[in-house]
Amino acid sequence: MTVTTSPPGADATPFTAPAAPSSTTTPAARFPRTRRYAMTPPVHFTVSYAINPWMDPTVPVDTERAVSQWMHLREIYESLGHTVHIVDPHPGLPDMVYAANGGLSVAGHTIAARFAFPERAPEGDLYAAWFEADGHGPVHRTTGVQEGEGDFLVVGDRILAGTGFRTSRETHHEIAAITGLPVVTLELIDPRFYHLDTALGVLDDDTVVYYPPAFSEVSRAVLADLYPGAVIATDADAEVLGLNLVSDGRHVVMTDAAPELAATLRAAGFQPIEVDLSELLKGGGGIKCATLELRSPDKEVDVHTLTDPHVAHNYSPLPVTAASAEGAWITDVDGRAYLDCLGAYSAVNFGHRNPRILAAATDQMNRVTLTSRAFRSDRLEPFCAALATLCGKDMVLPMNTGAEAVESAIKVARKWGYDVKGVPDGRATIIVAAGNFHGRTISIVSFSDDPDARNGFGPYTPGFVQVPYGDAQAVADAIDDTTVAVLVEPVQGEAGIIVPPTDYLPRVRALCTENDVLMIADEIQSGLGRTGKTLAVEHWGVEPDIYTLGKALGGGILPVSAVVADRTVLGVLHPGEHGSTFGGNPLAAAVGQTVVEMLAEGTWQARAAELGDRMHARLRDLIGHGVVAVRGLGLWAGIDVEESLGTGKEVCLRLAERGVLAKDTHGSTLRLAPPLVITEEEIDWAVDRLADVVGR
């Protein structure tokens, strides 16, 4: 592709870009806001005609690479907490990937595009139909030609409107009349920058970046007057469509081919995220061209109230900021109530602020909270005795988090292998299941096959052999003289609430017994009442050698975890070989003992079983109506929705809009794990909201 560096036009006078801000200048604080975007995957993208100077049908297009680059862009948006809605592409419309041209969504109005070129004309009707179907109607259609956000960029309470190549100047008046917002006309004079979004980027409600030579002299004066503090782009920035960017007010998603512009934005307090979208550039489009913002004032939330600038990114939370909670309900900072159908991944099995557990914690806090294990506390032995009895074992090793419990069980299994089984030192191996989730410590991610948890954290801890989940024969084939344990989740949670075949756990138990191998059941999510039994393995009549417990053991108050096993196993640990400052502290022991006492009564398990039957029956009614499959036990369900309806994250965001909090796992799967205090009426209400979201 050949691009001239001097823009045409009689009034395209030279300009000098300002110097980047001094490194001694403190940049302004920038605050992001969650957004909703519409995007169309480039599965049909190619360049078969030329309607702008960037397009050359003789230059090959790698469609597969374009899809990969597009997927990466989408993942970046979602990692920042934004929602991405998918508009289905259509064969024969290779430019439909440039979703920004499909329309304009602002001030409660949705306006579908009316394209200038016949090659793209059908897209206008398709986007109009999608807007209606996705709940963005009624949809306006203009008389004049306009190509959506390609030429209409919203900056605060005004719309900057481009004209000169695609959008008719008269259409600017139509947009002003429809939206009620002031529309500022800007004339484009360089055919390379045929849309406004190729020559001007919106950074926040008050700040823009633009390339002056792309505009007429009059329009340059207008921009200078409106935005005296604007970032001015250089030739090098503009020639790679560096201004075709998307900003949430702090994070600026932009091409990786404009490092100078990225540095300037960084110095101004923004956080550039540089992306390779080079295949789409062959069609004359970039980051912004692929992204249509869906604006509705009630959906825009300040991200800094969700994930503060000082909080490192380890989760991608829903746009809900909890302020208080009670039972199965959470209330946000704006006073809106949400039914909690996630239950903090089973950590809140007994409801938020359970009165009995809260009373036990308060009483203990008035006595003693932390002693360390350097000497005894009066709460530790009663807690361990009660938990050991509940699990039918001899001993308890108290820890704090679930990952610590798993790490501790791994240590115990290796020590047992060396001291009891006689495995040569340093040779012990542990068999694990594909699709597992046991935590995110280095050793645990070493045997994970989740790329998000694993990639970038090597070198990995050796000594683990992964086999398919649910395949007992694979376990049998993997066992050898070095095997000390098989670590398995009775029901895989993060994988999508995967319930194994009926004979799987009994066969694993038998294999472990036959081969002198420890069976470790990770019951951190599945245990303590969640599935309708005290421990999920009870559904199959199986007793492992080691349990790892956590989450619900802390009663929704504080982190408490434990490894539970007989003395023949846990007895391999000697003083000084393992430890934890906080593990088994008096406050944790008081809370944990209260949880055990509540479970010993049996009513919580019965409640989970009975209400679980109702929840699963209601969910199964949705199969064929937007739902593909439902899995689970008790008050724990994995729900696969039709892929055309979006990802699990998108479905969860729509549920949140309707007052229900759930969490996605992978792909188009979400999970429900409400507190066991939920009622029949609340279950019905939640499933009805899900039916609204997935219904066609």
Side-chain angles (χ1 to χ4, degrees), residues 584-659:
N585 68 75
L587 180 59
V591 168
Q593 184 179 351
T594 304
V595 167
V596 171
E597 290 170 351
M598 292 166 65
L599 287 166
E601 297 165 2
T603 55
W604 292 96
Q605 299 90 318
R607 181 178 183 84
E610 181 180 351
L611 291 174
D613 288 343
R614 184 181 188 92
M615 182 176 77
H616 282 275
R618 288 295 319 276
L619 290 171
R620 285 193 295 270
D621 288 341
L622 301 183
I623 295 176
H625 303 281
V627 169
V628 176
V630 175
R631 298 172 301 279
L633 291 170
L635 279 172
W636 205 18
I639 305 157
D640 297 336
V641 302
E642 293 181 13
E643 290 185 3
S644 61
L645 297 176
T647 64
K649 176 70 176 291
E650 291 167 345
V651 173
C652 289
L653 286 165
R654 293 175 202 149
L655 277 172
E657 292 173 1
R658 291 163 173 81

Side-chain angles (χ1 to χ4, degrees), residues 27-47:
R30 306 293 183 181
F31 297 108
R33 190 173 66 232
T34 55
R35 313 289 175 124
R36 294 188 304 153
Y37 299 130
M39 298 179 71
T40 301
V43 295
H44 305 299
F45 174 64
T46 186
V47 177

Side-chain angles (χ1 to χ4, degrees), residues 356-445:
R356 184 170 170 182
I357 302 172
L358 202 59
T362 302
D363 177 69
Q364 187 62 39
M365 282 192 290
N366 287 326
R367 298 172 62 232
V368 59
T369 57
L370 180 66
T371 60
S372 87
R373 293 291 299 279
F375 45 88
R376 296 182 177 90
S377 84
D378 64 346
R379 301 310 304 255
L380 182 58
E381 172 59 23
F383 163 54
C384 291
L387 182 56
T389 300
L390 184 73
C391 297
K393 297 293 185 184
D394 296 337
M395 301 182 79
V396 171
L397 174 63
M399 299 300 292
N400 304 287
T401 66
E404 285 180 273
V406 173
E407 288 273 0
S408 299
I410 290 170
K411 288 182 66 175
V412 167
R414 287 179 172 179
K415 189 73 161 52
W416 175 89
Y418 301 136
D419 291 1
V420 178
K421 185 173 180 176
V423 174
D425 189 47
R427 296 283 307 283
T429 59
I430 295 175
I431 296 172
V432 298
N436 69 77
F437 182 84
H438 300 284
R440 290 189 177 90
T441 59
I442 285 296
S443 288
I444 291 173
V445 301

